[in-house]
Amino acid sequence: MATFLYRLGRFAFRRRHFVALFWVALLTLAGVGAAGAPAAGTTSFSIPGTEAQKAFDLLEERFPGASADGATARVVFKAPDGEKMTDAENKATVTETVKELSTGSEVATVTNPYQGGGVSRDGTIAYASVSYKVSGMELEDSSREALEGAAEDARDAGLTVEIGGDALQAMPHTGAAEIIGIGIAAVVLVITFGSLLAAGLPLLTAIIGVGIGVASITALASTLDLGSTTSTLATMIGLAVGIDYALFVVSRYRAELAEGREREEAAGRAVGTAGSAVVFAGLTVVIALVGLSVVNIPMLTKMGIAAAGTVAIAVLIALTMIPALLGYAGRRVRPAGQKSKLLGGGRAAKDPAKPQRPNMGTRWASFVVRRPVAVLLLGVLGLGAAAIPASSLELGLPDDGSQPTSTTQRRAYDLLSEGFGPGFNGPLMVVVDAKDSDDPQAVFGQTGEDIKGLDNVVTVTPAQPNKAGDTATITVIPDAKPSSVTTEELVHDIRDAGADIKTDSDAEVLVTGATAMNIDVSQKLNDALVPYLILVVGLAFLLLIVVFRSILVPLKAALGFLLSVLAALGAVVAVFQWGWLSGLMGVEETGPVMSMMPIFMVGVVFGLAMDYEVFLVTRMREAYVHGEKPSQAVVTGFKYGARVVTAAAVIMIAVFSGFIGSSESMVKMIGFGLAVAVLFDAFIVRMAIVPAVLALLGKKAWWLPRWLDRVLPNVDVEGEGLRTASDAGRNTDSDPDEDRELARV
C-alpha cells in the first residue's frame, strides 16, 4: 500500500499539469451537467415493507386518478374578533377564494368549507383543502403563486389566512453560518501551518472535491430522485473530510521537507505514509455511509451513497491533486518549523545549549501516561453524564408543527389545532380491502363502528368506497397531536382491531397517512439499528485489525465511539427535545428527535471517529514497532500527531456548526449532532480515553495471535517499506539527530 501510494504521489508531483487538468476537466464536466439538469426538490418518500406504504400502494391501484401522491394544501381562514366565518360577508370572501383556487391547471380538487364540514364549532375558523395532480417537488411555481395570491386576496378582505400542507415547501438554506465555518477552518489552517499558501491548499482541494460531488448529485437529482438535503449532506461531510485529509498530507509533506528530503521525494513519502492513513480512514467513512442501505429506506440510502461518493472523491484528491499543487507551489511551501514571510518569515535559530520546551501534545500525553486511571474515569464519567438525556429520547419525523412560528405552515397548523383540536393536523387514513369478503359494505360499516369504540378517537368519517365497491377509505381524527405517544398507540389499536376483522371477514384493514408513515419509519429505523451496528462496526473492526495489527486497539476504538455517540445523542435530546440552549441554536420549536438521527449519527460519526483513531494511533504504532516502550510510544504519537489531529477536529466542528444556521430542521439537527459528536470523540475519547487505555494496557494493546498475523495482509500503513528504499533525495547537510526526531511527524 505505502509503496504504491509513494509512486502515485511522485507521479502526481511530476505530472502535475496532467493531474490538475484532469480534476479541472472533471469539475467542468460535472458543472455543465448540473447547469443543464432540473433543480432538485424534496425527494419522494417511500418505506418498502411497512403497512403504511402497502396501504398507499393499494390506494394507487384501487383509486386510479385520485392523485394519492399529489401535493396538498390547507387554506385556513380565521374571522376577525367578534365575527364568525358564517357571517355573510366572510362567507362570500371564502367562496370567492375557493373559486379562485379551483382555476389552476394542476389543481385536482378543492373542497368548500361550507359543504364539507370545514367550519369549527364556534364558527371562528374554517379551512379549504386543495389537492394537486402532481407531487410537491413537481409543482410549478405558477401554481404556488396562485395559491399564495388567493390567500392574499382573502387577507385584503379582512380575514386571517394561512396555508399548510406540502404545496409550499421551500428549498432549505444554510445562511451565513456555513461561510463562517469555512472561515474558521481557514484561520485554523493558517495557525497550524504558519503559511497562507500551505493553508490554502486543503481549502482549495476540498472545495473542488465538494464541487465535483455536489454538481454530480445535482446533475443526477431528477433521474435518481435525489432530494435537496442529499446535496446538503454531501457538502457538509465532503468539506469536513476533504479539508482534513488534505491537511494530513500537507503536514507530512512539510515534515519530510524538514527531514531534508527533496520536494518530489517528500511528496511521495507524504502520500505513502499519511496517504495510507487517509485511504483507510476514508474507507471507514464510506463503509459507514454505504451501510445505511441496510435500513431499506430509499431516501436514507441515496443520502448515504451520495455522501460516500463525495468522501471517495476527497480521498482521491488528497492522494493526487495535493502533491500536484505542492509541485506548483515549490519553495513557497516551507518545511515544518518555518513560517511564511507574510507571517513573520524565517526559521528562528535554535540554541543548542538550551533544551527545547516539549510541545503541548507531549506535555498532555505525559500527564495522561502518569495518571491513566484518573483521566479514564473522568472522561468516561463526563461522557456518561452527557449521555443521560438520551434515556428520554423520543423519535418522530418533522411536520408543520415543528416549523418556526414565523412560517405560514406553522401558523396554519396552530389555527387548525385551535379550531378543530390537535389531532386534526394528523388524520389517519384507514384503507379497508374487502375484495375477498362476501359483503364489502357490511365490512366497511363494521370497521367504522369498531374504530369509533377505541380510546383517543374524536371523529370517524363514513367509509368512502371506490367505483368497484371492494375498497374503501375511512378518515380517523385522533384527540392528540400527530407526534404524541397517544396517537401512536391509537395507530397500533386500529391495526389490532383490523387483525380481528380479517379473521372474521377476510378483509384487510391498513392504516396510512403521514402520521402512520412517520410511526412506521421510526419503528423500522429502531429495528435496523442493531443489525446496522453489527455490520458497520464489524466491517470497520476487521479493517482496523489489518491497519493496527492488534485486537484490543480496534475494540477500544469501537467502544470509545459508542460512548461518544451516546453522549452526542444526549446533547441532541437536551437541545432539540428539552429546549436547553434552544434560543442560542435557533431552535424555535422543540419536539421529538428526527427518527433517522440515531442511525444516521451512528453511521457518520463512526466513520469520522475512526479518522482520528487511524491518524493518531498509527503514529503510536509507528513508534512502537521501531523500538519504543508502549508508554513512550503514546507520548511520541501525541508529540507529532496531536497538533494536526486537533486542527482537523476544530475544522470539522467548524464546518458542521455552520449548518446549524439552516432553515431545514433536519439539516440543523444533523449539523449540531455531528459537531458535538466530533467534539466529544476527538477531544475526550481520542485525546484522553485512548492514551489512558493504551497506557494501562502496555504491550498487551499491540497483541495479535500469531496465526492471525500470518493470515492478515501487510498493508504497511506506517510506511516501513519506504524506509528500506534509497534516501537519495535526502540533502547531505541535514542534521541526523533532527532527522530522526522528525521522521515520525
Side-chain angles (χ1 to χ4, degrees):
M1 171 71 77
T3 303
F4 169 76
L5 292 178
Y6 164 78
R7 292 171 181 167
L8 179 63
R10 294 195 63 166
F11 170 82
F13 189 94
R14 287 196 310 271
R15 307 295 184 190
R16 46 188 171 272
H17 301 311
F18 169 77
V19 173
L21 181 62
F22 170 80
W23 286 111
V24 170
L26 194 58
L27 177 62
T28 303
L29 183 64
V32 171
T42 302
T43 185
S44 58
F45 198 76
S46 63
I47 309 94
T50 62
E51 180 174 317
Q53 186 65 45
K54 183 179 179 181
F56 183 83
D57 295 339
L58 184 65
L59 286 173
E60 290 284 305
E61 176 188 344
R62 303 287 176 84
F63 292 83
S67 300
D69 60 344
T72 59
R74 275 180 170 175
V75 182
V76 188
F77 307 88
K78 184 176 183 179
D81 291 342
E83 299 182 17
K84 292 188 176 183
M85 293 305 304
T86 52
D87 293 347
E89 186 176 349
N90 293 334
K91 188 173 183 179
T93 299
V94 172
T95 301
E96 182 62 29
T97 302
V98 169
K99 183 179 179 181
E100 188 176 349
L101 289 170
S102 305
T103 58
S105 61
E106 294 183 319
V107 175
T109 60
V110 179
T111 60
N112 190 314
Y114 302 103
Q115 299 172 358
V119 181
S120 63
R121 290 185 178 181
D122 62 4
T124 60
I125 296 174
Y127 74 92
S129 294
V130 185
S131 299
Y132 293 88
K133 300 174 183 177
V134 296
S135 64
M137 63 181 295
E138 298 171 326
L139 202 62
E140 294 182 358
D141 290 340
S142 59
S143 296
R144 293 190 176 94
E145 291 169 0
L147 177 63
E148 292 174 320
E152 191 60 37
D153 290 342
R155 291 189 189 104
D156 293 340
L159 298 178
T160 298
V161 186
E162 306 295 347
I163 306 171
D166 61 355
L168 291 184
Q169 282 184 336
M171 295 290 288
H173 63 272
T174 54
E178 180 183 350
I179 306 301
I180 294 173
I182 297 176
I184 294 173
V187 172
V188 173
L189 287 169
V190 171
I191 295 173
T192 302
F193 290 134
S195 165
L196 291 175
L197 181 60
L201 293 181
L203 281 175
L204 175 62
T205 54
I207 291 172
I208 291 174
V210 168
I212 294 172
V214 172
S216 301
I217 291 170
T218 304
L220 298 172
S222 178
T223 304
L224 301 181
D225 190 23
L226 303 177
S228 56
T229 52
T230 302
S231 59
T232 304
L233 174 65
T235 302
M236 184 189 304
I237 296 178
L239 270 178
V241 301
I243 293 172
D244 278 7
Y245 294 165
L247 164 64
F248 288 116
V249 175
V250 174
S251 293
R252 189 68 183 231
Y253 171 77
R254 296 178 71 236
E256 295 292 339
L257 290 180
E259 196 173 340
R261 291 188 170 85
E262 294 293 344
R263 294 186 179 274
E264 183 179 326
E265 177 72 8
R269 287 180 176 257
V271 176
T273 52
S276 296
V278 165
V279 169
F280 282 98
L283 272 176
T284 59
V285 180
V286 170
I287 287 172
L289 290 170
V290 174
L292 291 170
S293 59
V294 303
V295 183
N296 196 26
I297 294 180
M299 184 185 76
L300 199 58
T301 299
K302 292 171 186 177
M303 289 172 64
I305 292 176
T310 307
V311 171
I313 292 172
V315 171
L316 293 174
I317 283 183
L319 299 179
T320 57
M321 194 168 185
I322 282 292
L325 293 179
L326 290 172
Y328 283 118
R331 296 185 178 278
R332 284 170 290 183
V333 174
R334 296 171 175 263
Q338 291 187 15
K339 293 184 178 180
S340 167
K341 292 181 180 180
L342 291 174
L343 298 176
R347 175 185 288 197
K350 294 182 179 179
D351 183 357
K354 182 179 179 181
Q356 296 298 311
R357 175 181 171 84
N359 64 20
M360 180 66 74
T362 302
R363 296 198 300 272
W364 170 249
S366 299
F367 170 79
V368 174
V369 167
R370 289 195 304 269
R371 298 175 177 82
V373 175
V375 172
L376 178 61
L377 287 176
L378 188 62
V380 171
L381 291 176
L383 290 178
I388 289 175
S391 62
S392 301
L393 178 66
E394 296 179 7
L395 298 176
L397 287 178
D399 55 17
D400 285 349
S402 62
Q403 296 272 5
T405 53
S406 58
T407 63
T408 186
Q409 292 95 329
R410 172 58 191 278
R411 291 195 292 264
Y413 180 97
D414 292 340
L415 284 176
L416 287 172
S417 296
E418 177 187 341
F420 301 91
F424 196 79
N425 284 292
L428 306 176
M429 179 175 288
V430 178
V431 182
V432 185
D433 180 6
K435 190 173 184 178
D436 297 330
S437 178
D438 296 332
D439 189 354
Q441 292 297 326
V443 172
F444 300 155
Q446 185 60 48
T447 302
E449 292 300 319
D450 289 350
I451 294 174
K452 287 180 182 178
L454 298 176
D455 295 333
N456 308 314
V457 173
V458 174
T459 304
V460 178
T461 65
Q464 301 293 321
N466 62 349
K467 290 183 179 180
D470 58 6
T471 308
T473 60
I474 300 173
T475 301
V476 180
I477 305 299
D479 66 356
K481 63 181 182 179
S483 59
S484 68
V485 176
T486 302
T487 300
E488 181 177 350
E489 292 174 348
L490 175 59
V491 170
H492 293 309
D493 290 343
I494 295 174
R495 287 173 174 171
D496 290 341
D500 296 334
I501 293 172
K502 183 175 180 63
T503 302
D504 297 336
S505 62
D506 291 329
E508 190 169 15
V509 178
L510 305 172
V511 185
T512 189
T515 302
M517 190 75 82
N518 290 352
I519 292 170
D520 287 351
V521 169
S522 298
Q523 186 61 50
K524 187 162 189 174
L525 289 167
N526 287 338
D527 294 342
L529 184 58
V530 173
Y532 176 70
L533 269 174
I534 293 173
L535 173 68
V536 173
V537 177
L539 288 176
F541 181 78
L542 295 176
L543 186 66
L544 292 179
I545 289 178
V546 174
V547 174
F548 296 129
R549 308 196 76 78
S550 164
I551 297 293
L552 295 179
V553 170
L555 180 61
K556 172 265 308 170
L559 293 176
F561 147 74
L562 291 175
L563 191 57
S564 60
V565 80
L566 282 174
L569 274 175
V572 169
V573 170
V575 173
F576 290 87
Q577 187 175 308
W578 292 359
W580 294 4
L581 302 177
S582 57
L584 181 64
M585 297 297 168
V587 180
E588 296 189 31
E589 184 66 25
T590 59
V593 173
M594 190 172 52
S595 298
M596 65 181 65
M597 194 67 187
I599 200 166
F600 185 80
M601 282 188 64
V602 165
V604 177
V605 175
F606 181 79
L608 300 180
M610 294 307 103
D611 279 5
Y612 303 119
E613 182 75 14
V614 170
F615 288 121
L616 193 58
V617 180
T618 48
R619 293 303 179 94
M620 300 177 189
R621 174 169 171 77
E622 185 178 347
Y624 175 75
V625 298
H626 287 93
E628 292 190 7
K629 294 181 178 180
S631 59
Q632 182 57 39
V634 172
V635 176
T636 301
F638 268 77
K639 179 179 182 179
Y640 299 118
R643 178 182 176 88
V644 177
V645 169
T646 299
V650 171
I651 289 169
M652 198 169 279
I653 292 169
V655 172
F656 288 151
S657 297
F659 289 85
I660 297 175
S662 173
S663 62
E664 178 72 34
S665 60
M666 176 178 174
V667 175
K668 181 190 291 287
M669 191 178 294
I670 289 175
F672 173 80
L674 294 183
V676 171
V678 171
L679 175 68
F680 288 158
D681 195 88
F683 292 105
I684 299 180
V685 174
R686 308 303 153 190
M687 292 291 185
I689 294 178
V690 165
V693 171
L694 291 178
L696 290 172
L697 290 175
K699 291 184 178 180
K700 296 177 182 177
W702 308 107
W703 171 79
L704 185 70
R706 291 184 179 180
W707 65 268
L708 186 56
D709 187 42
R710 290 193 299 268
V711 172
L712 291 178
N714 184 10
V715 296
D716 189 20
V717 176
E718 298 85 10
E720 180 64 23
L722 302 181
R723 293 179 179 274
T724 62
S726 171
D727 274 345
R730 182 192 296 270
N731 291 337
T732 57
D733 59 348
S734 61
D735 183 353
D737 293 334
E738 184 179 88
D739 288 345
R740 284 192 294 271
E741 183 169 346
L742 290 171
R744 302 181 185 88
V745 179

